[in-house]
Amino acid sequence: MTHEDLEVKVLGESTFNSPLIPTFYPDGLSFQFVENDDRVLFDATLEQFLNCQEAGVTPISFEQAGPHKQLYFDPSKTKAAIVTCGGLCPGLNDVIRSLVNELHYRYKVKKVIGIQYGYEGLISRYNHPFINLTTERVDTIHLFGGSILGSSRGNQDVGEMVDKIVEQDVDMLFCIGGDGTLRGAHAIHEEIQRRNLKISIAGIPKTIDNDINLIDKSFGFETAFSIANDILRYSHNEAKGAYNGIAILKLMGRNSGFIAAYAALSQQEANFVLVPEMDFDFYGPKGLLAALRKRLDERHHALIVVAEGAGQNFFTDESKDMDASGNIKNKDIGLYLKEKITEQFRAENYPFSLKYIDPSYIIRSAPANANDSKFCGLLAHNAVHAAMAGKTDFVVGHWNHTFTILPIPMAVLQQKKIKLESELWWNVLETTGQPALMKN
């Protein structure tokens, strides 16, 4: 990764004065506008600082998010659009509401439209009407889960989408979604750039799995593992309610197991956490089944928390189906574990009681909790600040306790995953007591 990789594109020179006013205090302290050279270190360790100092190089850094003194767009003549794509996630309505309120109250932007049902809303043949997003329209939407704009998956014709954006005189498009949505936003930006248009494309990263690259957390994740915390506790009660009781709780996490890991750490009742980042065997002296049998012999109950993307290597002989976004549809590892454990223990005449629980759609449809709602609002504010200053093809991020902006291509370059040598995974092993390696 180089300095150039993290440079955010700008539409042109900023010539309009911001309507925002810095806060000044008698003691000289104030909250000021950010400058383009305000940066946030990628690696804030002392070791990295000393290495850069010795080599005489500037450390890698992100552009700091925040309000700018000079704007590219004239707020009185600006029209904004908002779209939500992909699966549902706690906090979508919070982001929409905060975008509208920031644009209206702080920047005095008079026209904000909502695009219905994801990128489909920019394709004429679907006939999805635009929604006029006023402050009254969004006043209470943060109290409810889901998205008032609806959502969809799948690729759409980029040229048609840009045609519709131009037809609607949109100056800035806020795209709320995960890596597929952000790739779509980047494609829209490239077509806009090819046509030499001056339209800002702003990404607000949405993934319940917390797996977006170079962003330390995404909205909805905290709500997800907080709700999973309660379900994990109830699942533990189910397991303890029977002799040799087993509860299998499947949580979301297609390629990264952060929800499963954080939920297990927050409740500290799980005995096994299985995530996509780890390989494990089912059979054999060091496999999961042997470890589970040992746990039942000693404590007579066990709770297995499994992320949806774990154990996909057990399905190598089966065909790979794709969803509308081009993601491989995972086979149901929860049902696989249920069937194989049942099959083996019955064959051994080993007494057990097994419950399988999958609350995924309940979790993703919930409203955001207080901290997530706050985070959604700040992401939205910083997206508006950057777009008004003419930044484009960017994602609002968060790094080292500071809001950042970074180019979309860097955010979607790879997915963030749990490192099995990290403190996080060590803490999971400490909490569950499961073997560090379940491979023969």
Short mmCIF file of all heavy atoms in Angstrom, two decimals, residues 85-87 117-120 126 151-157 179-181 183-184 254 320-330 361 364:
data_model
loop_
_atom_site.label_atom_id
_atom_site.label_comp_id
_atom_site.label_asym_id
_atom_site.label_seq_id
_atom_site.Cartn_x
_atom_site.Cartn_y
_atom_site.Cartn_z
N CYS A 85 -28.39 -0.64 -0.71
CA CYS A 85 -28.30 -1.87 -1.50
C CYS A 85 -27.86 -3.04 -0.62
O CYS A 85 -27.32 -2.85 0.47
CB CYS A 85 -27.29 -1.70 -2.64
SG CYS A 85 -27.59 -0.30 -3.73
N GLY A 86 -28.07 -4.24 -1.14
CA GLY A 86 -27.62 -5.45 -0.44
C GLY A 86 -28.59 -5.88 0.65
O GLY A 86 -29.75 -5.46 0.69
N GLY A 87 -28.11 -6.73 1.56
CA GLY A 87 -28.95 -7.23 2.64
C GLY A 87 -29.25 -6.15 3.66
O GLY A 87 -28.56 -5.13 3.76
N TYR A 117 -35.28 0.50 -3.75
CA TYR A 117 -34.89 -0.87 -4.07
C TYR A 117 -33.53 -0.97 -4.74
O TYR A 117 -33.35 -1.63 -5.78
CB TYR A 117 -35.98 -1.55 -4.91
CG TYR A 117 -37.32 -1.51 -4.23
CD1 TYR A 117 -38.36 -0.71 -4.73
CD2 TYR A 117 -37.54 -2.21 -3.05
CE1 TYR A 117 -39.58 -0.64 -4.09
CE2 TYR A 117 -38.76 -2.14 -2.39
CZ TYR A 117 -39.78 -1.35 -2.90
OH TYR A 117 -40.98 -1.28 -2.25
N GLY A 118 -32.56 -0.29 -4.13
CA GLY A 118 -31.18 -0.42 -4.57
C GLY A 118 -30.95 0.19 -5.94
O GLY A 118 -31.66 1.10 -6.39
N TYR A 119 -29.95 -0.34 -6.63
CA TYR A 119 -29.59 0.20 -7.94
C TYR A 119 -30.69 -0.05 -8.98
O TYR A 119 -30.71 0.59 -10.04
CB TYR A 119 -28.27 -0.40 -8.42
CG TYR A 119 -27.06 0.10 -7.66
CD1 TYR A 119 -26.02 -0.76 -7.32
CD2 TYR A 119 -26.94 1.45 -7.31
CE1 TYR A 119 -24.90 -0.29 -6.63
CE2 TYR A 119 -25.84 1.92 -6.62
CZ TYR A 119 -24.81 1.04 -6.29
OH TYR A 119 -23.71 1.51 -5.61
N GLU A 120 -31.64 -0.96 -8.68
CA GLU A 120 -32.79 -1.13 -9.58
C GLU A 120 -33.53 0.19 -9.77
O GLU A 120 -34.11 0.46 -10.83
CB GLU A 120 -33.78 -2.15 -8.99
CG GLU A 120 -33.41 -3.59 -9.17
CD GLU A 120 -34.51 -4.51 -8.68
OE1 GLU A 120 -35.63 -4.01 -8.37
OE2 GLU A 120 -34.28 -5.72 -8.59
N TYR A 126 -37.77 -0.85 -14.29
CA TYR A 126 -38.33 -1.34 -13.03
C TYR A 126 -39.45 -0.45 -12.51
O TYR A 126 -40.24 -0.86 -11.65
CB TYR A 126 -37.23 -1.46 -11.97
CG TYR A 126 -36.26 -2.59 -12.23
CD1 TYR A 126 -34.97 -2.33 -12.70
CD2 TYR A 126 -36.61 -3.91 -12.01
CE1 TYR A 126 -34.06 -3.35 -12.94
CE2 TYR A 126 -35.72 -4.95 -12.23
CZ TYR A 126 -34.45 -4.66 -12.70
OH TYR A 126 -33.55 -5.69 -12.95
N SER A 151 -34.31 -2.35 -0.71
CA SER A 151 -32.98 -2.74 -1.16
C SER A 151 -33.10 -3.84 -2.20
O SER A 151 -34.18 -4.39 -2.43
CB SER A 151 -32.16 -3.23 0.04
OG SER A 151 -30.82 -3.46 -0.31
N SER A 152 -32.01 -4.14 -2.85
CA SER A 152 -31.95 -5.25 -3.80
C SER A 152 -30.50 -5.63 -4.01
O SER A 152 -29.59 -4.89 -3.64
CB SER A 152 -32.59 -4.86 -5.14
OG SER A 152 -31.82 -3.88 -5.81
N ARG A 153 -30.31 -6.79 -4.60
CA ARG A 153 -28.98 -7.25 -4.97
C ARG A 153 -28.89 -7.36 -6.50
O ARG A 153 -29.90 -7.37 -7.19
CB ARG A 153 -28.68 -8.63 -4.36
CG ARG A 153 -28.63 -8.65 -2.83
CD ARG A 153 -28.22 -10.03 -2.36
NE ARG A 153 -28.27 -10.17 -0.91
CZ ARG A 153 -27.28 -9.84 -0.10
NH1 ARG A 153 -26.17 -9.33 -0.60
NH2 ARG A 153 -27.39 -10.02 1.19
N GLY A 154 -27.68 -7.47 -6.98
CA GLY A 154 -27.49 -7.74 -8.39
C GLY A 154 -26.95 -6.56 -9.16
O GLY A 154 -27.16 -5.40 -8.80
N ASN A 155 -26.22 -6.88 -10.25
CA ASN A 155 -25.63 -5.85 -11.09
C ASN A 155 -26.67 -5.23 -12.02
O ASN A 155 -27.59 -5.91 -12.49
CB ASN A 155 -24.49 -6.44 -11.93
CG ASN A 155 -23.36 -6.96 -11.06
OD1 ASN A 155 -23.05 -6.37 -10.04
ND2 ASN A 155 -22.74 -8.05 -11.46
N GLN A 156 -26.53 -3.94 -12.27
CA GLN A 156 -27.38 -3.24 -13.22
C GLN A 156 -26.49 -2.55 -14.26
O GLN A 156 -25.29 -2.38 -14.05
CB GLN A 156 -28.25 -2.20 -12.49
CG GLN A 156 -29.10 -2.76 -11.36
CD GLN A 156 -30.13 -3.78 -11.82
OE1 GLN A 156 -30.53 -3.79 -12.99
NE2 GLN A 156 -30.55 -4.65 -10.91
N ASP A 157 -27.09 -2.16 -15.36
CA ASP A 157 -26.34 -1.51 -16.43
C ASP A 157 -25.84 -0.14 -15.96
O ASP A 157 -26.65 0.74 -15.62
CB ASP A 157 -27.22 -1.36 -17.67
CG ASP A 157 -26.45 -0.78 -18.84
OD1 ASP A 157 -26.40 0.45 -18.98
OD2 ASP A 157 -25.89 -1.59 -19.62
N ASP A 179 -19.47 -4.50 0.09
CA ASP A 179 -18.45 -4.45 -0.96
C ASP A 179 -19.05 -4.49 -2.36
O ASP A 179 -18.56 -3.83 -3.27
CB ASP A 179 -17.41 -5.55 -0.76
CG ASP A 179 -18.01 -6.94 -0.64
OD1 ASP A 179 -19.24 -7.07 -0.69
OD2 ASP A 179 -17.24 -7.90 -0.52
N GLY A 180 -20.14 -5.25 -2.56
CA GLY A 180 -20.78 -5.27 -3.87
C GLY A 180 -21.36 -3.92 -4.24
O GLY A 180 -21.21 -3.46 -5.38
N THR A 181 -22.00 -3.28 -3.29
CA THR A 181 -22.56 -1.94 -3.50
C THR A 181 -21.46 -0.95 -3.82
O THR A 181 -21.60 -0.10 -4.71
CB THR A 181 -23.32 -1.48 -2.25
OG1 THR A 181 -24.34 -2.43 -1.95
CG2 THR A 181 -23.94 -0.11 -2.45
N ARG A 183 -18.48 -1.57 -5.05
CA ARG A 183 -17.94 -1.82 -6.40
C ARG A 183 -18.86 -1.21 -7.45
O ARG A 183 -18.39 -0.65 -8.46
CB ARG A 183 -17.79 -3.33 -6.64
CG ARG A 183 -16.63 -3.96 -5.87
CD ARG A 183 -16.38 -5.39 -6.32
NE ARG A 183 -15.26 -5.96 -5.59
CZ ARG A 183 -15.38 -6.67 -4.48
NH1 ARG A 183 -16.59 -6.92 -3.98
NH2 ARG A 183 -14.31 -7.16 -3.86
N GLY A 184 -20.17 -1.30 -7.22
CA GLY A 184 -21.12 -0.66 -8.13
C GLY A 184 -20.96 0.85 -8.12
O GLY A 184 -21.02 1.49 -9.18
N ARG A 254 -20.44 -14.51 6.43
CA ARG A 254 -20.19 -15.28 5.21
C ARG A 254 -18.72 -15.64 5.05
O ARG A 254 -18.37 -16.78 4.78
CB ARG A 254 -20.66 -14.50 3.98
CG ARG A 254 -20.46 -15.26 2.68
CD ARG A 254 -20.73 -14.39 1.45
NE ARG A 254 -22.12 -14.08 1.31
CZ ARG A 254 -22.61 -12.84 1.29
NH1 ARG A 254 -21.80 -11.81 1.42
NH2 ARG A 254 -23.89 -12.63 1.14
N LYS A 320 -21.77 -25.10 -6.71
CA LYS A 320 -21.70 -23.78 -6.10
C LYS A 320 -22.75 -22.87 -6.74
O LYS A 320 -22.66 -22.53 -7.91
CB LYS A 320 -20.31 -23.17 -6.29
CG LYS A 320 -19.17 -24.01 -5.71
CD LYS A 320 -19.21 -24.07 -4.20
CE LYS A 320 -18.01 -24.81 -3.64
NZ LYS A 320 -18.06 -24.94 -2.18
N ASP A 321 -23.75 -22.52 -5.97
CA ASP A 321 -24.75 -21.58 -6.45
C ASP A 321 -24.33 -20.16 -6.09
O ASP A 321 -23.65 -19.94 -5.08
CB ASP A 321 -26.12 -21.88 -5.82
CG ASP A 321 -26.63 -23.26 -6.19
OD1 ASP A 321 -26.40 -23.67 -7.35
OD2 ASP A 321 -27.24 -23.92 -5.33
N MET A 322 -24.75 -19.19 -6.91
CA MET A 322 -24.39 -17.79 -6.69
C MET A 322 -25.65 -16.98 -6.38
O MET A 322 -26.73 -17.27 -6.91
CB MET A 322 -23.71 -17.21 -7.93
CG MET A 322 -22.58 -18.05 -8.49
SD MET A 322 -21.11 -18.09 -7.45
CE MET A 322 -20.42 -16.49 -7.81
N ASP A 323 -25.51 -15.97 -5.52
CA ASP A 323 -26.63 -15.07 -5.31
C ASP A 323 -26.60 -13.95 -6.35
O ASP A 323 -25.71 -13.90 -7.20
CB ASP A 323 -26.65 -14.52 -3.87
CG ASP A 323 -25.47 -13.61 -3.55
OD1 ASP A 323 -24.79 -13.13 -4.49
OD2 ASP A 323 -25.22 -13.36 -2.35
N ALA A 324 -27.58 -13.03 -6.27
CA ALA A 324 -27.70 -11.98 -7.28
C ALA A 324 -26.50 -11.03 -7.28
O ALA A 324 -26.23 -10.36 -8.27
CB ALA A 324 -28.98 -11.18 -7.04
N SER A 325 -25.77 -10.98 -6.16
CA SER A 325 -24.61 -10.10 -6.08
C SER A 325 -23.32 -10.77 -6.55
O SER A 325 -22.26 -10.17 -6.51
CB SER A 325 -24.43 -9.60 -4.63
OG SER A 325 -25.54 -8.83 -4.23
N GLY A 326 -23.42 -12.04 -6.94
CA GLY A 326 -22.24 -12.76 -7.40
C GLY A 326 -21.48 -13.46 -6.29
O GLY A 326 -20.38 -13.98 -6.52
N ASN A 327 -22.05 -13.50 -5.08
CA ASN A 327 -21.41 -14.21 -3.97
C ASN A 327 -21.81 -15.69 -4.02
O ASN A 327 -22.95 -16.03 -4.34
CB ASN A 327 -21.86 -13.62 -2.63
CG ASN A 327 -21.53 -12.15 -2.50
OD1 ASN A 327 -20.40 -11.74 -2.70
ND2 ASN A 327 -22.53 -11.35 -2.16
N ILE A 328 -20.86 -16.56 -3.67
CA ILE A 328 -21.18 -17.98 -3.57
C ILE A 328 -22.12 -18.19 -2.40
O ILE A 328 -21.89 -17.71 -1.29
CB ILE A 328 -19.90 -18.81 -3.38
CG1 ILE A 328 -19.00 -18.71 -4.62
CG2 ILE A 328 -20.24 -20.27 -3.10
CD1 ILE A 328 -17.67 -19.40 -4.47
N LYS A 329 -23.23 -18.88 -2.65
CA LYS A 329 -24.18 -19.18 -1.58
C LYS A 329 -23.59 -20.27 -0.69
O LYS A 329 -23.29 -21.38 -1.16
CB LYS A 329 -25.51 -19.65 -2.16
CG LYS A 329 -26.34 -18.54 -2.80
CD LYS A 329 -27.69 -19.10 -3.23
CE LYS A 329 -28.57 -18.02 -3.82
NZ LYS A 329 -29.88 -18.56 -4.25
N ASN A 330 -23.44 -19.97 0.57
CA ASN A 330 -22.91 -20.96 1.50
C ASN A 330 -23.91 -22.08 1.74
O ASN A 330 -25.12 -21.84 1.81
CB ASN A 330 -22.56 -20.30 2.84
CG ASN A 330 -21.31 -19.45 2.76
OD1 ASN A 330 -20.39 -19.77 2.02
ND2 ASN A 330 -21.27 -18.38 3.52
N TYR A 361 -32.09 -13.64 10.28
CA TYR A 361 -32.94 -12.60 9.70
C TYR A 361 -33.57 -11.72 10.77
O TYR A 361 -33.91 -10.56 10.50
CB TYR A 361 -34.00 -13.24 8.80
CG TYR A 361 -33.39 -13.77 7.52
CD1 TYR A 361 -33.10 -15.13 7.38
CD2 TYR A 361 -33.06 -12.92 6.47
CE1 TYR A 361 -32.52 -15.61 6.22
CE2 TYR A 361 -32.48 -13.40 5.31
CZ TYR A 361 -32.21 -14.75 5.19
OH TYR A 361 -31.62 -15.21 4.05
N ARG A 364 -30.62 -9.09 11.58
CA ARG A 364 -30.30 -8.07 10.58
C ARG A 364 -31.43 -7.08 10.36
O ARG A 364 -31.21 -5.99 9.83
CB ARG A 364 -29.90 -8.73 9.27
CG ARG A 364 -31.04 -9.27 8.43
CD ARG A 364 -30.53 -9.78 7.10
NE ARG A 364 -31.62 -9.91 6.13
CZ ARG A 364 -31.43 -10.10 4.84
NH1 ARG A 364 -30.21 -10.22 4.36
NH2 ARG A 364 -32.45 -10.20 4.02
#
